Amino acid sequence: MIPRTIFEPEHEQFRESVRKFFESHAVPYHAQWEKDGQIDRALWNKAGEMGFLAPSVPEEYGGMGLDYLYNTVMDEEMAKLGLSGPGFHLQNDITVPYLVKHASEAQKQKYLPKCLSGEMIVAIAMTEPGTGSDLQGVKTTAIADGDEYVINGSKTFITNGQQADLVIVVCKTDPNAGAKGISLLLVEAGTPGFEKGSNLEKIGLKAQDTSELFFQDVRVPKENMLGEEGMGFVYLMQDLPQERLTIAVMATAGMEATLQQTVDYVKERKAFGQPIANFQNTQFKLAQMDAEITAMRVFVDRCIELHVQGKLDAVTASKAKMLASDLQNKVIDECLQLHGGYGYMWEYPVARAFADARIQRIFGGTNEVMKIIISRELLAD
Ligand SMILES: Cc1cc2nc3c(=O)[nH]c(=O)nc-3n(C[C@H](O)[C@H](O)[C@H](O)COP(=O)(O)OP(=O)(O)OC[C@H]3O[C@@H](n4cnc5c(N)ncnc54)[C@H](O)[C@@H]3O)c2cc1C
C-alpha cells in the first residue's frame, strides 16, 4: 500500500467530524431525498453551523480561509458514503470560489456570509438547451440599458437549480464579440422574469436537484456583474480546472469505497458451495481494479498537492478528470457484475454508485472535450 502523504493531522480531525456529521444528518435520510428529488434544505444550514460550507472563504468574511485539502476531505467523505444528493461540492469548490476571486467588495459583503451559513445556495448556469460543450456558443444575452442589464435566454441541467438563491449566469453582454463578449452576471432568485423550470428527472444523482432556468427581460443592476464585463470566458477557463479536479477526487474516493464494499460482498456471497471470492475470476478482477485504483490515487493526490501549491495546470486537471471518471465507470461496472442480480437492486450501494458515476464522464466538460484540451497542447507548435 502506498501511504497518502498530502494530509496533516488537522485535516484528518476535520475528516472525522465531517464523517460523523454526514453519518447522522444525511445517511439515514438519503433514500427519502432520492424519492423527493432533492435534499432537505435544512442540511445546508446544519452544515453551515458546523463550518462545512466553503471552508476556503477568507476570515474577513466570516470564513476559515482554509486550503483546498479541506474541500477534498468533504468531497471524499461524501463520495465514500454515497451521498450524491447534497450539492455542497458545487458551492464549496466551484461557485463560492468564483465569488471569492472575482466579486466586488460589496458583493462579497452581501453574499459570502450567507453562503457560509447555508442561507444562500449558489448555482452556476453555463449550459443551455442548444449549447453545452461549446461554451462560446451561449445564446443568453445581457444587454446594457441605463444602469441595468436586461437578460434573456434559458439554461438547462443546472445543479442545485431548484434550491438556488443566487445564480451565476453565463451570458453574452456583446453577442457579436465571441468569447470576448461573455460575462458572468449574478441573478438572485425572485428577480422578476427569472423562473425555475421543473426538477429534471435523471438516471442517477436522484437526490440532487437539477433544473432548467428561464430568463425573460430580467433586469439586474450593473453592480451585479461578477468581475469585469467581457471577462467571463477567461474566468471560466481559469476556474474549470478546480471543478475538474473535484470530479477526479470524488471519482477516486467513490471507487475505492465501492471496491471495498465488493471485497466484503464476495467473501459473504456463496455460489457452487463456496464464497465467490474463491473463484479465480473474482480474485483477478479485484486485483486488477485494486492496482488501477492505486495508480489513480497516486496521480490524483499529486494533482491535489500541485493544486494547493497553485501549480496544477488546466491540461493536467483535464487528464485527471478524464482518467479518474473513466476508471470509476469501469470499476463500478465490474463491481456491479460481481454482485450479480443484487448489484442491480437500488438498495445496494453499488447500484446507486453505478447510476451516479455515469454523469462524471459528461459534466465539467465531457471526456471528449478533455481529449481536445490535452491533444491541443500536445500538438501545439
Ligand atoms: C446532472 C447534470 C448536472 C449538470 N450541472 C451543470 C451545472 O451546474 N451548470 C452547468 O452549466 N451545466 C451543468 N451540466 C451540463 C453539462 O456540463 C453538459 O451536459 C456537458 O458540458 C455536455 O454538454 P451537452 O450536454 O450540451 O452535450 P453536447 O455538447 O451536445 O455533446 C454531445 C456529445 O458530443 C460530443 N462532442 C461535442 N463537441 C465535440 C467535439 N468538438 N469533438 C468531439 N466530440 C464532441 C460530446 O463529448 C458528447 O459526447 C450538468 C449536466 C448534468 C447531466
Side-chain angles (χ1 to χ4, degrees):
M1 197 184 126
I2 300 178
R4 300 186 74 184
T5 53
I6 57 175
F7 297 109
E8 300 294 336
E10 52 269 28
H11 297 116
E12 296 305 343
Q13 279 161 17
F14 184 73
R15 186 187 296 281
E16 218 165 285
S17 32
V18 164
R19 192 169 180 94
K20 277 192 192 138
F21 173 81
F22 283 122
E23 276 171 348
S24 49
H25 295 287
V27 172
Y29 310 105
H30 205 266
Q32 183 57 47
W33 296 339
E34 285 167 2
K35 290 184 184 139
D36 299 341
Q38 55 186 315
I39 67 162
D40 181 354
R41 182 69 172 75
L43 189 73
W44 284 88
N45 306 83
K46 287 182 194 152
E49 279 165 30
M50 295 294 294
F52 294 156
L53 294 179
S56 61
V57 168
E59 287 173 30
E60 58 207 281
Y61 304 105
M64 293 186 287
L66 299 173
D67 59 41
Y68 177 75
L69 287 163
Y70 287 87
N71 298 40
T72 304
V73 166
M74 289 270 302
D75 297 338
E76 287 182 350
E77 290 312 303
M78 291 178 66
K80 285 196 260 177
L81 291 168
L83 295 173
S84 59
F88 293 167
H89 63 285
L90 189 94
Q91 179 111 337
N92 292 359
D93 305 351
I94 301 167
T95 56
V96 170
Y98 273 99
L99 297 179
V100 171
K101 277 198 207 164
H102 309 299
S104 65
E105 190 53 35
Q107 289 167 340
K108 286 182 185 171
Q109 298 285 358
K110 185 174 179 189
Y111 296 126
L112 288 179
K114 290 183 182 172
C115 295
L116 288 162
S117 67
E119 208 180 318
M120 180 159 265
I121 300 174
V122 190
I124 182 157
M126 299 177 256
T127 308
E128 300 184 352
T131 313
S133 301
D134 179 15
L135 257 182
Q136 295 189 34
V138 293
K139 294 267 188 299
T140 300
T141 53
I143 304 301
D145 183 25
D147 294 339
E148 296 175 322
Y149 287 102
V150 185
I151 308 173
N152 278 290
S154 59
K155 299 286 178 181
T156 194
F157 307 148
I158 306 308
T159 302
N160 295 342
Q162 293 286 301
Q163 296 193 341
D165 305 288
L166 182 71
V167 183
I168 301 171
V169 182
V170 178
C171 47
K172 288 247 169 89
T173 38
D174 182 350
N176 301 316
K180 289 188 179 141
I182 294 180
S183 303
L184 308 183
L185 272 176
L186 298 173
V187 181
E188 293 180 20
T191 307
F194 169 33
E195 301 289 337
K196 297 173 177 179
S198 58
N199 195 0
L200 298 170
E201 229 176 292
K202 307 185 292 297
I203 62 171
L205 305 182
K206 293 277 187 194
Q208 201 172 98
D209 60 296
T210 309
S211 304
E212 285 180 292
L213 304 176
F214 303 103
F215 304 88
Q216 194 178 2
D217 294 328
V218 177
R219 288 184 166 269
V220 294
K222 282 201 166 161
E223 300 92 80
N224 282 29
M225 177 64 64
L226 184 60
E228 282 177 47
E229 183 176 311
M231 287 294 287
F233 194 74
V234 174
Y235 299 152
L236 291 168
M237 292 306 109
Q238 284 169 355
D239 293 356
L240 276 168
Q242 177 155 311
E243 176 171 356
R244 291 174 181 154
L245 178 60
T246 295
I247 293 171
V249 165
M250 296 179 85
T252 309
M255 64 183 140
E256 283 171 341
T258 303
L259 179 66
Q260 188 52 53
Q261 288 152 12
T262 307
V263 167
D264 295 341
Y265 182 82
V266 298
K267 287 190 206 160
E268 292 295 322
R269 178 72 181 169
K270 290 200 171 77
F272 298 95
Q274 52 184 318
I276 56 171
N278 285 4
F279 302 129
Q280 194 182 52
N281 176 65
T282 306
Q283 294 163 3
F284 281 15
K285 291 275 185 208
L286 293 174
Q288 181 75 31
M289 289 191 278
D290 189 35
E292 287 179 357
I293 295 173
T294 301
M296 188 59 63
R297 163 57 63 216
V298 174
F299 174 49
V300 170
D301 274 4
R302 178 71 180 128
C303 289
I304 297 168
E305 194 173 39
L306 284 171
H307 187 55
V308 172
Q309 295 165 358
K311 293 182 192 159
L312 182 71
D313 63 278
V315 173
T316 309
S318 300
K319 291 176 186 172
K321 190 266 174 186
M322 177 185 79
L323 291 175
S325 60
D326 276 349
L327 184 61
Q328 179 191 22
N329 276 258
K330 186 176 121 181
V331 161
I332 292 175
D333 184 62
E334 295 280 19
C335 287
L336 190 152
Q337 188 70 15
L338 287 171
H339 279 72
Y342 291 101
Y344 200 67
M345 297 299 121
W346 194 250
E347 66 183 283
Y348 277 74
V350 71
R352 289 176 154 95
F354 180 80
D356 291 344
R358 189 61 186 84
I359 187 57
Q360 296 266 84
R361 288 156 57 197
I362 297 171
F363 62 15
T366 65
N367 284 5
E368 291 72 34
V369 169
M370 298 306 101
K371 285 176 186 160
I372 295 172
I373 294 170
I374 298 162
S375 59
R376 195 186 293 142
E377 186 187 66
L378 206 54
L379 297 170
D381 290 331

